[in-house]
Amino acid sequence: MSNKRSKVFFCSLFFHIVVVLSSYGQTDTLLLNYEQYTLKNGLDVILQPDSTVEDVSVEFWLRKGISMDKPSQYGFAHFFEHVMPFGIMDSLKRAQLKTYRTGSNAQVKKDYTRFYVKVKPKGVGLALEMAAGRLMAGTDRITEKRIEFQRKRVLSEIDRNAKNPQWSAPGGMAIYKGTFGKNHPYGSSGYGLIENNKNFKLKEFKERYNKIVYADNTVLFLVGNFDVEDVKKQIETYFRNLPSKEKDHKIIKPAKHVEGNITMKAPHPKDTVQTMVFSWAVPKWGSIDDSTLKLITSILDTRLKDKSRFPESFIKTSVSTDMYEFGGQFTIRTTFASVKDSTQIENLVLDKVNEFIETGVTEVELKGAKQSEINDIKEMQQRLGFQWSRTELLGESFLFTGDPGFYVKRLKKQLQLTREDVKKGAKKWLKQKPFRVLFISNKKE
C-alpha cells in the first residue's frame, strides 16, 4: 500500500472511530478523576475524591482470593474473609466510628478479597485507623473462639443461600468444576465444600494471614467526599509501618473448555422450581473477546426474555458473564416449574444460541447493547464503594491491567465492534457445547 493510500485509509478509520464514539456521547467523561500512588512499603493507594457526595468509602483489597485454595481447602478463602481479625482500637474511638459508619461489608472473589466501610467525612481518619489495624493485627488475634463464632455464621450463610442452587455450596462447586475443569484454580465456588468448612483449623488461618496480609499485596481505596492532602497524611501515618515482602503473583493458565451434562438434586429441601445452568469457559477480563461477549450477553438476554416458544412451566432465563484476571465464564440460567419440560427447554435455549451464531445481530440490537454497557458504567459510578461500584471500576482495572482507568479503554473497544465482530465472537466461544447442570427440586408433579 502506498503512503498516500495509507494516509487515506488511516483518516477514514479515524473518522469512523470518532463517529462511533460520538454517537454514544463523549466516553472520556466516564473516566473518574483518580490519583494512584505507592507507599515505600509497597502499599498501592487509589484516591477518587468527589465533593458532590455525602459519604466516603474506605476499602482495601488483598490480591488473593478463591483461586489460591487447593482442592483440600475449597471454601477456605471465604471462611478466612470472615475470620480476618481486627486490630486493637481504643473503645471510645470504636464507638465514635460506629456513629459515623453508614455501611460495611466484606467479600471474596476469584482473584481478590475485599473489606469495606463507608462513613461520613468526619469519620475518615477513624476508618483508616481501623483498616490499618486489621492489616497489622497479626495472627495473635486469630483465636479458636473467633473461628468457632465465625464457623456458625459461615455455615448459616451457606444454608441460607442454598435456596438458589447456583449459589449453593454443592451447586456452585458443580458449575465451576464443570466450567473450568477439575483442580483448575477457578474451579471452586466461594463456599467450597461444606465438610471443609466444618473442619478448618486455627493453624490454617494463621498460615493464610501470614501468606496474604502484607503491604505489597494490598490496594487501599478512598472514594467520596474527603480532603486529598489531609487523607494522604493520615495514610502515611497509619500505613507506613505495614510490613512488606516480595509480591507473589501467580499466573493462572487458561481453562480448557469442558463439555458435559450433570443432573443433581436441588441443594435446598424447600426448593420448588427446576433450575438449569449452561456454562462456557471464556477469555479473561479486558481482552477483545471479553468486550464482545459482554455485548452478546446483553443481546441474548433480551432475546431469551421472549417466552412465546417455551412451554407453560417456563419461568425466566438470565444471561451473564463473569470475567476474572486470567479467564471468564459465560452463563445462561433458566428456571421452570415442571421437570418433564427440561429437555424441550434445553433444546430451545441452545437453539437460540445457535441462531445467534448463524444469523448474528441487527444494528438496532448492537446499538442497544453498547448503550447498555455505557449505562452500566454510569450506574456503577453512582455507588461509592463495594459491589457494583466506582471501586470495582477502578480496582479491577488496576488489579488486572495496572491501569485504574482501563475500564474506559475497554468500553471504547466495545463501541468500535461491528455486527461481524459480534457474530465471529459468538461462533468462536459459544459454538462449543456448554457444560450443563440441571438441579431438580423435591417438588412432586
Side-chain angles (χ1 to χ4, degrees), residues 414-429:
Q414 287 178 303
L415 299 186
Q416 293 171 28
L417 292 170
T418 65
R419 291 167 58 192
E420 187 60 29
D421 292 330
V422 174
K423 185 178 178 181
K424 285 180 180 178
K427 185 174 183 179
K428 180 179 179 181
W429 293 104

Side-chain angles (χ1 to χ4, degrees), residues 34 36 63 285 394-406:
Y34 68 87
Q36 186 269 318
R63 289 181 172 91
W285 193 101
L394 296 166
E396 292 196 342
S397 293
F398 180 64
L399 247 65
F400 300 163
T401 72
D403 176 5
F406 190 82

Side-chain angles (χ1 to χ4, degrees), residues 66-74 110 172-189 193 196 250-256 258:
I66 298 165
S67 64
M68 78 176 296
D69 288 348
K70 297 176 182 177
S72 61
Q73 297 177 309
Y74 284 160
K110 297 290 188 191
M173 283 300 302
I175 293 167
Y176 287 116
K177 179 182 175 182
T179 302
F180 295 102
K182 185 180 179 180
N183 297 337
H184 188 278
Y186 289 159
S188 167
S189 69
L193 302 175
N196 284 356
K250 182 180 179 182
I251 303 297
I252 296 173
K253 293 181 179 179
K256 293 181 180 178
V258 179

